[in-house]
């Protein structure tokens, strides 16, 4: 369970520039990157088989990053699946994919959102005008407008923690060890090995974004937009929560 | 096919991030572009038969063109930071190009409108009134100058073309939203903008001008043409999606086809296009207010459906997000406020420049001096 944490520290210390097992980003995208250590390429592997849907990551992220009420940088989408008369629960942790070719960046009209040399996609909320073009461009619904800062907001892989040698809060708190974080440029890191050996899937590969959040045990039915009955639960502040739930049961 | 049912138990609902302000912006800027195009024959190309229609179209272009940027600015969640657009070079962003194009277009529109109205300023300056001196100042000591009007007209036409290009492309490039990501979308925006602008000409012809029947007849014919284009593009869009002839259109249709609400919206959209088309063709005189209002409504609905409706399609989650129009600045107040600003601009401009009485030829009938 601690394997991911231990490995992270090793990977961070070694700072090994390993042979990249992943296809490189377009030259112009790399050129536009700023800040961060180019010796690393941070990424995450989510083993959905280990996720118990406790939402500890969701809460840890909110507490760590002061995410406003009713907003989420990460959440565990939870589905009840009935197949041939048998029901089960399917959990899918979602977050920013810190794509190698992120569609949110070229659309930004002010340069407020950018990718660091270590692959982490961030927003400078002192520059962002809150136009929300990036929110539209993200194929994963990973971005939102933070109504406290009135700017675009998203998962940063807890960049402030990573720079201090710590794991992202969601990884640190994951009770099932489902979230594994590490350096994809380090061939000996757990994430690199998992990507190499387990052939994990990514969400919406047809979008060509080259996500750097990988999933082990990802059912193809959940790889894109899920074809199912929409969510039963929604934040209480939503004015039509009751009406909607009523409609769903009707 | 395996019998699988999926119920989404927990997921996040992403609220719309482009607000009704954006709908108002795309609506008004589209109508402004349409107004410019309709004004060009009468003013920039000096066809006298088109002059009267052109004047109303110019009012449409001016009022909508001045109100639109206010709506756009309000759609930013940090409107005070708008200057951030102008201290960077971001050629990969169509929105950044928009921030360059809008001032160019609005400036061109103001100059063009001034060249067109200059002869009216001159005439008003001859009236015995305390304000005459102001009109004479506004005329800058001149009158109608067809060459100047044409030059300004060509400049504003370039601006209008760029606005049409950027507004359509800005939305169409968003691959993450299949409903938006079709090559037809910019054409549909343009066609519905032309229909909306012609509709507003018909409405203003009745409410803010002298209700000229010739203008009504011509505008209704133009409206039929624009609505015909809307139906053509809409039909092709549907056919490409329905018969899976083109991937992006098939994806766009598939993203909403399963929804009863979207099917009702589609029927509504077809009715709001076909009904004024039939009326405009069958009875082009005496129906302008009705066809005009329906056409304006249709152009607005199209944008509402694309922007607000489009954002209720989850990118990853199941089904559709619910949207309820908030009463405050993020919703109804934004719509009403923008409409109020437009109305104020219309009242102000028509108060300063009342509709000339051209129907009755008199000794002061203005004809180009040279």
């Amino acid at each position: 369970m601690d394997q991911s944490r231990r490995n992270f520290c090793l990977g961070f210390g070694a700072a090994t520039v390993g042979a990249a097992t992943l296809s490189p980003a377009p030259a112009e995208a790399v050129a536009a990157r700023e800040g961060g250590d180019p010796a690393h390429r941070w990424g995450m592997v989510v083993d959905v088989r280990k996720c118990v849907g406790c939402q500890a990551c969701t809460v840890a992220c909110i507490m760590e990053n002061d995410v406003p009420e009713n907003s989420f940088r990460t959440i565990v989408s939870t589905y009840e699946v009935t197949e041939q008369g048998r029901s089960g629960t399917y959990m899918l942790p979602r977050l920013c994919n810190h794509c190698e070719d992120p569609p949110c960046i070229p659309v930004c009209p002010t340069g407020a959102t950018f990718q660091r040399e270590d692959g982490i996609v961030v927003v400078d909320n002192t520059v962002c005008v809150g136009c929300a073009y990036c929110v539209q461009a993200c194929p994963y619904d990973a971005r939102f407008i933070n109504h406290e800062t009135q700017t675009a907001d998203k998962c940063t892989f807890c960049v402030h923690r990573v720079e201090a040698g710590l794991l992202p809060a969601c990884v640190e708190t994951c009770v099932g060890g489902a979230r594994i974080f590490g350096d994809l440029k380090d061939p000996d890191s757990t994430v690199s090995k998992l990507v190499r050996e387990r052939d994990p899937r990514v969400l919406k590969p047809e979008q060509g974004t080259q996500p750097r959040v990988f999933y082990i045990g990802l059912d193809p039915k959940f790889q894109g937009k899920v074809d199912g009955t929409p969510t039963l639960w929604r934040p209480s502040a939503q004015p039509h929560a009751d009406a909607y739930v009523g409609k769903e049961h009707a | 096919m395996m019998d699988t049912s999926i119920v989404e138990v927990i997921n996040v609902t992403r609220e719309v991030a482009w607000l009704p302000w954006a709908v108002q912006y795309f609506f008004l800027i589209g109508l402004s572009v349409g107004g410019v195009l309709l004004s060009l024959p009468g003013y920039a190309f000096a066809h006298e038969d088109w002059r009267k229609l052109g004047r109303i179209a110019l009012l449409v272009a001016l009022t909508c063109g001045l109100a639109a940027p206010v709506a756009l600015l309000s759609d930013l969640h940090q409107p005070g930071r708008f200057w951030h657009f102008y201290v960077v070079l971001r050629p990969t962003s169509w929105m950044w190009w928009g921030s360059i194009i809008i001032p160019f277009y609005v400036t061109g529109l103001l100059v063009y409108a001034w060249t067109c109205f200059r002869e009216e300023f001159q005439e008003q300056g001859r009236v015995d009134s305390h304000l005459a001196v102001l009109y004479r100042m506004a005329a800058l000591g001149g009158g109608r100058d067809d060459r100047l009007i044409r030059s300004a007209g060509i400049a504003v036409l370039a601006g209008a073309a760029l606005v049409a290009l950027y507004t359509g492309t800005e939305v169409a490039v968003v691959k993450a939203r299949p409903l938006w990501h079709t090559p037809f979308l910019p054409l549909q925006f343009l066609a519905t903008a032309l229909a909306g602008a012609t509709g507003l000409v018909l409405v203003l012809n009745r409410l803010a001008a002298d209700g000229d029947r010739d203008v009504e007849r011509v505008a209704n014919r133009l409206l039929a043409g624009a609505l015909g284009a809307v139906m053509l593009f809409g039909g092709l869009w549907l056919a490409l999606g329905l018969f899976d002839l083109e991937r992006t259109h098939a994806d766009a249709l598939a993203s909403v086809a399963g929804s009863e609400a979207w099917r009702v919206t589609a029927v509504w959209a077809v009715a709001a296009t076909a009904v004024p088309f039939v009326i405009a063709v069958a009875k082009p005189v005496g129906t302008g207010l009705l066809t005009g209002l329906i056409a304006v409504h249709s152009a607005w609905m199209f944008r509402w459906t694309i922007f607000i409706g489009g954002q209720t399609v989850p990118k990853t989650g199941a089904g559709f997000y619910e949207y309820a129009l908030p009463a405050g600045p993020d919703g109804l107040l934004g719509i009403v406020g923008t409409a109020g600003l437009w109305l104020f601009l219309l009242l102000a401009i028509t108060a300063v420049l009342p509709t000339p009485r051209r129907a009755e030829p008199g000794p002061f009938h203005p004809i180009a001096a040279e």
Side-chain angles (χ1 to χ4, degrees), chain A residues 206-234:
Chain A
E206 76 286 353
Q207 290 278 326
T209 55
Q210 302 178 56
R212 288 299 179 259
V213 173
F214 301 88
Y215 291 88
I216 295 172
L218 178 63
D219 189 306
K221 286 195 285 292
F222 297 90
Q223 205 163 7
K225 179 169 162 41
V226 175
D227 184 13
T229 305
T231 188
L232 298 173
W233 178 88
R234 53 188 46 225

mmCIF file of all heavy atoms in Angstrom, chain A residues 206-234:
data_model
loop_
_atom_site.group_PDB
_atom_site.id
_atom_site.type_symbol
_atom_site.label_atom_id
_atom_site.label_comp_id
_atom_site.label_asym_id
_atom_site.label_seq_id
_atom_site.Cartn_x
_atom_site.Cartn_y
_atom_site.Cartn_z
ATOM 1 N N GLU A 206 -9.492 8.836 -28.136
ATOM 2 C CA GLU A 206 -9.757 9.361 -29.479
ATOM 3 C C GLU A 206 -9.603 10.877 -29.550
ATOM 4 O O GLU A 206 -9.503 11.438 -30.640
ATOM 5 C CB GLU A 206 -11.158 8.936 -29.949
ATOM 6 C CG GLU A 206 -12.326 9.692 -29.339
ATOM 7 C CD GLU A 206 -12.619 9.324 -27.892
ATOM 8 O OE1 GLU A 206 -11.991 8.375 -27.366
ATOM 9 O OE2 GLU A 206 -13.472 9.997 -27.280
ATOM 10 N N GLN A 207 -9.577 11.534 -28.385
ATOM 11 C CA GLN A 207 -9.405 12.985 -28.388
ATOM 12 C C GLN A 207 -7.956 13.385 -28.701
ATOM 13 O O GLN A 207 -7.670 14.547 -28.951
ATOM 14 C CB GLN A 207 -9.815 13.559 -27.027
ATOM 15 C CG GLN A 207 -11.316 13.496 -26.759
ATOM 16 C CD GLN A 207 -12.082 14.658 -27.403
ATOM 17 O OE1 GLN A 207 -11.584 15.768 -27.499
ATOM 18 N NE2 GLN A 207 -13.292 14.391 -27.860
ATOM 19 N N GLY A 208 -7.054 12.421 -28.634
ATOM 20 C CA GLY A 208 -5.669 12.694 -28.988
ATOM 21 C C GLY A 208 -4.919 13.555 -27.976
ATOM 22 O O GLY A 208 -3.912 14.179 -28.303
ATOM 23 N N THR A 209 -5.396 13.578 -26.749
ATOM 24 C CA THR A 209 -4.797 14.461 -25.749
ATOM 25 C C THR A 209 -3.607 13.826 -25.035
ATOM 26 O O THR A 209 -2.869 14.510 -24.353
ATOM 27 C CB THR A 209 -5.840 14.840 -24.689
ATOM 28 O OG1 THR A 209 -6.383 13.624 -24.150
ATOM 29 C CG2 THR A 209 -6.973 15.644 -25.301
ATOM 30 N N GLN A 210 -3.437 12.533 -25.180
ATOM 31 C CA GLN A 210 -2.374 11.769 -24.517
ATOM 32 C C GLN A 210 -2.346 12.004 -23.000
ATOM 33 O O GLN A 210 -1.385 12.577 -22.461
ATOM 34 C CB GLN A 210 -1.010 12.117 -25.108
ATOM 35 C CG GLN A 210 -0.903 11.876 -26.601
ATOM 36 C CD GLN A 210 0.447 12.294 -27.132
ATOM 37 O OE1 GLN A 210 1.481 11.831 -26.656
ATOM 38 N NE2 GLN A 210 0.450 13.178 -28.117
ATOM 39 N N PRO A 211 -3.395 11.558 -22.314
ATOM 40 C CA PRO A 211 -3.444 11.755 -20.864
ATOM 41 C C PRO A 211 -2.258 11.112 -20.167
ATOM 42 O O PRO A 211 -1.717 10.103 -20.617
ATOM 43 C CB PRO A 211 -4.747 11.054 -20.456
ATOM 44 C CG PRO A 211 -5.576 11.018 -21.684
ATOM 45 C CD PRO A 211 -4.596 10.864 -22.815
ATOM 46 N N ARG A 212 -1.882 11.722 -19.052
ATOM 47 C CA ARG A 212 -0.830 11.134 -18.224
ATOM 48 C C ARG A 212 -1.416 10.660 -16.888
ATOM 49 O O ARG A 212 -0.710 10.571 -15.889
ATOM 50 C CB ARG A 212 0.311 12.131 -18.041
ATOM 51 C CG ARG A 212 1.131 12.308 -19.342
ATOM 52 C CD ARG A 212 1.768 10.989 -19.794
ATOM 53 N NE ARG A 212 2.528 11.128 -21.029
ATOM 54 C CZ ARG A 212 2.093 10.760 -22.226
ATOM 55 N NH1 ARG A 212 0.874 10.235 -22.372
ATOM 56 N NH2 ARG A 212 2.863 10.905 -23.295
ATOM 57 N N VAL A 213 -2.718 10.413 -16.898
ATOM 58 C CA VAL A 213 -3.368 9.666 -15.821
ATOM 59 C C VAL A 213 -3.857 8.381 -16.485
ATOM 60 O O VAL A 213 -4.636 8.426 -17.441
ATOM 61 C CB VAL A 213 -4.536 10.445 -15.186
ATOM 62 C CG1 VAL A 213 -5.290 9.561 -14.184
ATOM 63 C CG2 VAL A 213 -4.018 11.692 -14.485
ATOM 64 N N PHE A 214 -3.344 7.271 -15.995
ATOM 65 C CA PHE A 214 -3.637 5.977 -16.617
ATOM 66 C C PHE A 214 -4.528 5.162 -15.684
ATOM 67 O O PHE A 214 -4.494 5.342 -14.470
ATOM 68 C CB PHE A 214 -2.336 5.214 -16.884
ATOM 69 C CG PHE A 214 -1.372 5.948 -17.774
ATOM 70 C CD1 PHE A 214 -0.448 6.841 -17.226
ATOM 71 C CD2 PHE A 214 -1.377 5.762 -19.146
ATOM 72 C CE1 PHE A 214 0.436 7.530 -18.036
ATOM 73 C CE2 PHE A 214 -0.483 6.442 -19.963
ATOM 74 C CZ PHE A 214 0.421 7.331 -19.405
ATOM 75 N N TYR A 215 -5.304 4.267 -16.280
ATOM 76 C CA TYR A 215 -6.225 3.464 -15.468
ATOM 77 C C TYR A 215 -5.977 1.975 -15.706
ATOM 78 O O TYR A 215 -5.936 1.523 -16.855
ATOM 79 C CB TYR A 215 -7.676 3.797 -15.827
ATOM 80 C CG TYR A 215 -8.097 5.190 -15.397
ATOM 81 C CD1 TYR A 215 -7.896 6.279 -16.235
ATOM 82 C CD2 TYR A 215 -8.682 5.414 -14.151
ATOM 83 C CE1 TYR A 215 -8.266 7.554 -15.850
ATOM 84 C CE2 TYR A 215 -9.061 6.688 -13.760
ATOM 85 C CZ TYR A 215 -8.857 7.757 -14.622
ATOM 86 O OH TYR A 215 -9.227 9.021 -14.226
ATOM 87 N N ILE A 216 -5.836 1.263 -14.627
ATOM 88 C CA ILE A 216 -5.789 -0.199 -14.701
ATOM 89 C C ILE A 216 -7.187 -0.695 -14.354
ATOM 90 O O ILE A 216 -7.771 -0.253 -13.357
ATOM 91 C CB ILE A 216 -4.758 -0.781 -13.706
ATOM 92 C CG1 ILE A 216 -3.344 -0.332 -14.093
ATOM 93 C CG2 ILE A 216 -4.830 -2.313 -13.677
ATOM 94 C CD1 ILE A 216 -2.281 -0.688 -13.058
ATOM 95 N N GLY A 217 -7.709 -1.590 -15.166
ATOM 96 C CA GLY A 217 -9.052 -2.124 -14.914
ATOM 97 C C GLY A 217 -10.155 -1.190 -15.372
ATOM 98 O O GLY A 217 -11.274 -1.253 -14.854
ATOM 99 N N LEU A 218 -9.842 -0.336 -16.331
ATOM 100 C CA LEU A 218 -10.861 0.594 -16.835
ATOM 101 C C LEU A 218 -11.760 -0.122 -17.841
ATOM 102 O O LEU A 218 -11.301 -0.565 -18.891
ATOM 103 C CB LEU A 218 -10.191 1.811 -17.492
ATOM 104 C CG LEU A 218 -11.128 2.850 -18.101
ATOM 105 C CD1 LEU A 218 -12.016 3.491 -17.041
ATOM 106 C CD2 LEU A 218 -10.329 3.940 -18.818
ATOM 107 N N ASP A 219 -13.034 -0.229 -17.501
ATOM 108 C CA ASP A 219 -13.999 -0.856 -18.391
ATOM 109 C C ASP A 219 -14.276 0.088 -19.560
ATOM 110 O O ASP A 219 -14.509 1.283 -19.341
ATOM 111 C CB ASP A 219 -15.296 -1.112 -17.596
ATOM 112 C CG ASP A 219 -16.288 -1.955 -18.376
ATOM 113 O OD1 ASP A 219 -16.606 -1.568 -19.517
ATOM 114 O OD2 ASP A 219 -16.732 -2.990 -17.845
ATOM 115 N N PRO A 220 -14.242 -0.414 -20.799
ATOM 116 C CA PRO A 220 -14.468 0.466 -21.961
ATOM 117 C C PRO A 220 -15.791 1.243 -21.878
ATOM 118 O O PRO A 220 -15.906 2.313 -22.462
ATOM 119 C CB PRO A 220 -14.475 -0.505 -23.150
ATOM 120 C CG PRO A 220 -13.722 -1.700 -22.678
ATOM 121 C CD PRO A 220 -13.941 -1.797 -21.197
ATOM 122 N N LYS A 221 -16.762 0.706 -21.138
ATOM 123 C CA LYS A 221 -18.059 1.400 -21.028
ATOM 124 C C LYS A 221 -17.915 2.737 -20.299
ATOM 125 O O LYS A 221 -18.785 3.591 -20.370
ATOM 126 C CB LYS A 221 -19.072 0.523 -20.279
ATOM 127 C CG LYS A 221 -19.598 -0.635 -21.095
ATOM 128 C CD LYS A 221 -20.835 -1.255 -20.481
ATOM 129 C CE LYS A 221 -20.516 -2.108 -19.260
ATOM 130 N NZ LYS A 221 -19.756 -3.333 -19.574
ATOM 131 N N PHE A 222 -16.808 2.887 -19.575
ATOM 132 C CA PHE A 222 -16.615 4.108 -18.789
ATOM 133 C C PHE A 222 -15.458 4.958 -19.326
ATOM 134 O O PHE A 222 -15.061 5.927 -18.698
ATOM 135 C CB PHE A 222 -16.354 3.745 -17.318
ATOM 136 C CG PHE A 222 -17.519 3.036 -16.683
ATOM 137 C CD1 PHE A 222 -17.606 1.653 -16.735
ATOM 138 C CD2 PHE A 222 -18.547 3.748 -16.090
ATOM 139 C CE1 PHE A 222 -18.687 0.990 -16.170
ATOM 140 C CE2 PHE A 222 -19.638 3.100 -15.532
ATOM 141 C CZ PHE A 222 -19.709 1.710 -15.573
ATOM 142 N N GLN A 223 -14.980 4.577 -20.502
ATOM 143 C CA GLN A 223 -13.799 5.258 -21.033
ATOM 144 C C GLN A 223 -14.141 6.637 -21.613
ATOM 145 O O GLN A 223 -13.331 7.538 -21.603
ATOM 146 C CB GLN A 223 -13.159 4.384 -22.118
ATOM 147 C CG GLN A 223 -11.691 4.647 -22.320
ATOM 148 C CD GLN A 223 -11.009 3.515 -23.072
ATOM 149 O OE1 GLN A 223 -11.650 2.582 -23.552
ATOM 150 N NE2 GLN A 223 -9.699 3.605 -23.187
ATOM 151 N N GLY A 224 -15.362 6.746 -22.134
ATOM 152 C CA GLY A 224 -15.806 8.030 -22.679
ATOM 153 C C GLY A 224 -16.992 8.539 -21.891
ATOM 154 O O GLY A 224 -17.058 8.377 -20.680
ATOM 155 N N LYS A 225 -17.943 9.176 -22.612
ATOM 156 C CA LYS A 225 -19.161 9.613 -21.925
ATOM 157 C C LYS A 225 -19.986 8.377 -21.575
ATOM 158 O O LYS A 225 -20.252 7.528 -22.421
ATOM 159 C CB LYS A 225 -19.965 10.544 -22.828
ATOM 160 C CG LYS A 225 -21.271 11.013 -22.193
ATOM 161 C CD LYS A 225 -21.898 12.128 -23.008
ATOM 162 C CE LYS A 225 -23.378 12.320 -22.679
ATOM 163 N NZ LYS A 225 -23.750 12.238 -21.267
ATOM 164 N N VAL A 226 -20.347 8.291 -20.313
ATOM 165 C CA VAL A 226 -21.012 7.079 -19.826
ATOM 166 C C VAL A 226 -22.466 7.057 -20.301
ATOM 167 O O VAL A 226 -23.194 8.047 -20.174
ATOM 168 C CB VAL A 226 -20.952 7.022 -18.285
ATOM 169 C CG1 VAL A 226 -21.744 5.847 -17.748
ATOM 170 C CG2 VAL A 226 -19.498 6.930 -17.833
ATOM 171 N N ASP A 227 -22.840 5.932 -20.878
ATOM 172 C CA ASP A 227 -24.200 5.772 -21.369
ATOM 173 C C ASP A 227 -25.035 5.156 -20.251
ATOM 174 O O ASP A 227 -25.057 3.941 -20.071
ATOM 175 C CB ASP A 227 -24.185 4.872 -22.615
ATOM 176 C CG ASP A 227 -25.567 4.738 -23.228
ATOM 177 O OD1 ASP A 227 -26.466 5.517 -22.847
ATOM 178 O OD2 ASP A 227 -25.736 3.852 -24.087
ATOM 179 N N GLY A 228 -25.703 5.991 -19.484
ATOM 180 C CA GLY A 228 -26.476 5.479 -18.358
ATOM 181 C C GLY A 228 -27.469 6.509 -17.855
ATOM 182 O O GLY A 228 -27.638 7.568 -18.446
ATOM 183 N N THR A 229 -28.110 6.170 -16.747
ATOM 184 C CA THR A 229 -29.051 7.090 -16.118
ATOM 185 C C THR A 229 -28.268 8.114 -15.311
ATOM 186 O O THR A 229 -27.371 7.747 -14.548
ATOM 187 C CB THR A 229 -29.999 6.306 -15.177
ATOM 188 O OG1 THR A 229 -30.606 5.276 -15.953
ATOM 189 C CG2 THR A 229 -31.065 7.214 -14.593
ATOM 190 N N PRO A 230 -28.576 9.396 -15.490
ATOM 191 C CA PRO A 230 -27.733 10.421 -14.871
ATOM 192 C C PRO A 230 -27.769 10.422 -13.357
ATOM 193 O O PRO A 230 -28.589 9.764 -12.724
ATOM 194 C CB PRO A 230 -28.275 11.730 -15.425
ATOM 195 C CG PRO A 230 -29.632 11.419 -15.902
ATOM 196 C CD PRO A 230 -29.633 9.989 -16.304
ATOM 197 N N THR A 231 -26.880 11.213 -12.835
ATOM 198 C CA THR A 231 -26.592 11.216 -11.402
ATOM 199 C C THR A 231 -27.827 11.447 -10.525
ATOM 200 O O THR A 231 -28.693 12.238 -10.836
ATOM 201 C CB THR A 231 -25.518 12.283 -11.104
ATOM 202 O OG1 THR A 231 -25.112 12.158 -9.774
ATOM 203 C CG2 THR A 231 -26.028 13.678 -11.353
ATOM 204 N N LEU A 232 -27.894 10.719 -9.438
ATOM 205 C CA LEU A 232 -29.005 10.853 -8.504
ATOM 206 C C LEU A 232 -28.698 11.889 -7.446
ATOM 207 O O LEU A 232 -29.577 12.482 -6.858
ATOM 208 C CB LEU A 232 -29.277 9.513 -7.819
ATOM 209 C CG LEU A 232 -29.676 8.382 -8.738
ATOM 210 C CD1 LEU A 232 -29.747 7.086 -7.954
ATOM 211 C CD2 LEU A 232 -31.005 8.659 -9.394
ATOM 212 N N TRP A 233 -27.409 12.062 -7.171
ATOM 213 C CA TRP A 233 -27.002 12.956 -6.097
ATOM 214 C C TRP A 233 -26.408 14.215 -6.676
ATOM 215 O O TRP A 233 -25.717 14.179 -7.674
ATOM 216 C CB TRP A 233 -25.950 12.270 -5.239
ATOM 217 C CG TRP A 233 -25.437 13.139 -4.132
ATOM 218 C CD1 TRP A 233 -25.946 13.264 -2.893
ATOM 219 C CD2 TRP A 233 -24.316 14.023 -4.207
ATOM 220 N NE1 TRP A 233 -25.217 14.170 -2.173
ATOM 221 C CE2 TRP A 233 -24.214 14.651 -2.949
ATOM 222 C CE3 TRP A 233 -23.406 14.354 -5.206
ATOM 223 C CZ2 TRP A 233 -23.232 15.584 -2.664
ATOM 224 C CZ3 TRP A 233 -22.422 15.276 -4.927
ATOM 225 C CH2 TRP A 233 -22.334 15.877 -3.661
ATOM 226 N N ARG A 234 -26.717 15.335 -6.095
ATOM 227 C CA ARG A 234 -26.055 16.556 -6.500
ATOM 228 C C ARG A 234 -25.944 17.471 -5.287
ATOM 229 O O ARG A 234 -26.670 17.307 -4.316
ATOM 230 C CB ARG A 234 -26.791 17.238 -7.631
ATOM 231 C CG ARG A 234 -28.257 17.471 -7.344
ATOM 232 C CD ARG A 234 -28.961 17.980 -8.569
ATOM 233 N NE ARG A 234 -28.611 17.213 -9.735
ATOM 234 C CZ ARG A 234 -28.299 17.753 -10.907
ATOM 235 N NH1 ARG A 234 -28.296 19.043 -11.050
ATOM 236 N NH2 ARG A 234 -28.017 16.995 -11.920
#
